[in-house]
Amino acid sequence: MTALLSVSDKTNIIFFARELIAIGYEIISTGGTLKTLQEEGIEAIEVSSYTQSQEMFGGRVKTLHPRIAGGILYRRQNSEDVKIAKEYGIRDINLVCVNLYPFKQTIQRTDDFEEIIENIDIGGPTLLRAAAKNFQSVLVVSNPSDYDFIIEALKSHQNTLVLRQKMMIKAYEHTASYDVMIANYMNKTFKEGFGDMHFLAGKLVGKTRYGENPHQKGAYYEWEDFYSKNFKTLKGELSFNNLTDINSAVKIASNFGESKAVCIVKHGNPCGFAISDTLLDSYRQALRCDNISAYGGVVAVNGEVDLALAQEMGKIFFEVLVAPSITKEALEFLMPKKKLKIFLCGEGYLKLPKDAKNFKHIEGGFLLQESDEVLSDEVKNAQCMSIKKATNTQMQDLGIAYKIAALVKSNCVVYVKNRAMVAIGMGMTSRVDAAKAAIIKAKEMGIDLQGCVLASEAFFPFKDSIQEAYKAGVSAVIEPGGSVRDEEVIACANENNMALYFSHKRHFLH
């Protein structure tokens, strides 16, 4: 039995090689892998010695040889293939262990294009694809995390067709994701990220109980390793809808850096948000906005959950709590609550990776765009269009309202007072209807809007929204501007002694 070992990631390769030899394998190896094995006293045949062909072109050509490819690809049940293998002295290579040059690490580390090109693996993908193609007879291993599992299978004589099928799929996934990474990098480098083809490659993190509805299957994937490394389940089973709601809540709460922010989300939309001096007070202020919708929702806490906060939260039913950490006492208090799910996200503060691009599925394809982001100086540099200027407190509230509005489904308006969201209208077909709906809800909640500020993610096409805002008690407004009726909107703000700011940047979220 012959095993070909040629790995870039040498994690546990010494263990794997020794175990293979103990089972009865002879090893063929090359380059750095061969050197690593020899330094540990492990006997291995050098590829160039076996092929009688030296490595060429600075190592670009090593394993691309008929005695290697043939030993992997020839059909063991085909008499003509067997005859040719014997005629040319081609070994039966029935185990191939290969992982690929670190292209991802290279593009993260350097912009040197020549170095990047040299870290595009050619021989490795060829070996993996060949072994995977001939999985009927060849076992292919492409991930060091599988070494223990493979050795146990070989020792117990369980090198079955089912096992080889499983490893074949892993090998093709490995080469496919590698090619996707290279193609997307080249498109980013030469075509601004929008090439003739764009590829999405995600790694399975886990399956969800079902999709959005019980009759739909579901699972979640990650681009890099954020969820497998930075997201932890403490209690409960993560559902498809939980993940979308958690994403919305954490995106909003984490958008304010290290502030003691709390965001409450229901069905993907925020129904509460506040920043205060303590997380407990932030939670109380956030809950005031709409404690009816908050029932059964998701709470994102941008800091450690202690016992006092846990006890306050325990007064109503939430489906999900997500925070960077939770004290032992708080966890013990919340654990008996049967339907509550608890997850950790980030470290110290809530954290989400910021993807450079995002996409939306449409039937038959998808839309790709650069991700939207509210820049740190957008509110600070917003242009005052009114006679009256906002106070420092109002500007702080405008900044909070503006960021939230950018993360809420259009058409939307967000009302903030004393760093707490006091009303919100979102996902409406009319902006004035969004404003009215928010005001009606605030009245139902018994919230006084007098002196609050208002943010809109897009311009107000008519002055009616400003009029409604004034009637509700809004003192300052921020919006992008850009309507053909901007002058009417500005005049209305001045007539009502309101501060009005244009950011000159729209943040639609459809």
Side-chain angles (χ1 to χ4, degrees), residues 251-472:
K251 276 184 79 171
I252 293 174
S254 64
N255 230 277
F256 297 87
E258 298 181 1
S259 298
K260 292 179 172 62
V262 172
C263 183
I264 305 172
V265 160
K266 186 70 170 291
H267 297 305
N269 292 311
C271 57
F273 177 86
I275 297 173
S276 191
D277 296 333
T278 67
L279 289 170
L280 178 59
D281 194 47
S282 295
Y283 166 75
R284 286 171 172 158
Q285 295 300 320
L287 188 62
R288 285 184 65 245
C289 182
D290 188 353
N291 56 29
I292 296 173
S293 296
Y295 184 87
V298 170
V299 185
V301 178
N302 194 33
E304 186 169 69
V305 177
D306 60 16
L307 180 58
L309 178 54
Q311 289 172 333
E312 190 70 17
M313 290 179 58
K315 293 177 181 178
I316 71 168
F317 166 61
F318 288 107
E319 185 176 0
V320 171
L321 165 62
V322 57
S325 61
I326 182 169
T327 66
K328 180 182 177 182
E329 296 78 12
L331 185 59
E332 288 175 350
F333 173 81
L334 293 172
M335 285 299 282
K337 297 189 176 297
K338 292 182 180 180
K339 294 185 178 180
L340 175 65
K341 303 175 184 181
I342 304 173
F343 305 98
L344 299 183
C345 180
E347 186 175 342
Y349 301 93
L350 290 169
K351 174 186 176 184
L352 280 181
K354 291 188 176 181
D355 297 324
K357 287 187 171 60
N358 64 39
F359 70 96
K360 292 183 180 180
H361 170 247
I362 56 175
E363 294 299 325
F366 61 90
L367 303 171
L368 183 71
Q369 66 175 349
E370 294 176 342
S371 295
D372 189 24
E373 181 182 5
V374 175
L375 301 179
S376 60
D377 60 355
E378 277 185 49
V379 175
K380 178 183 176 182
N381 294 336
Q383 184 179 5
C384 182
M385 310 302 296
S386 56
I387 297 171
K388 185 174 183 178
K389 297 185 183 299
T391 66
N392 290 337
T393 298
Q394 288 171 333
M395 287 303 295
Q396 185 179 46
D397 285 348
L398 285 171
I400 293 171
Y402 187 78
K403 279 190 175 183
I404 295 173
L407 295 168
V408 174
K409 288 287 186 181
S410 303
N411 287 315
C412 81
V413 288
V414 177
Y415 299 74
V416 169
K417 183 178 180 179
N418 298 326
R419 298 193 297 169
M421 189 172 76
V422 287
I424 184 169
M426 62 278 190
M428 306 290 283
T429 54
S430 162
R431 196 162 301 278
V432 70
D433 285 347
K436 287 178 178 178
I439 293 166
I440 291 170
K441 188 67 170 181
K443 288 180 179 178
E444 290 177 355
M445 293 291 104
I447 296 174
D448 179 12
L449 297 182
Q450 195 65 40
C452 73
V453 306
L454 170 64
S456 172
E457 92 290 6
F459 64 68
F460 289 117
F462 304 99
K463 66 179 182 179
D464 50 4
S465 293
I466 299 296
Q467 290 172 329
E468 290 297 325
Y470 170 71
K471 291 176 187 177

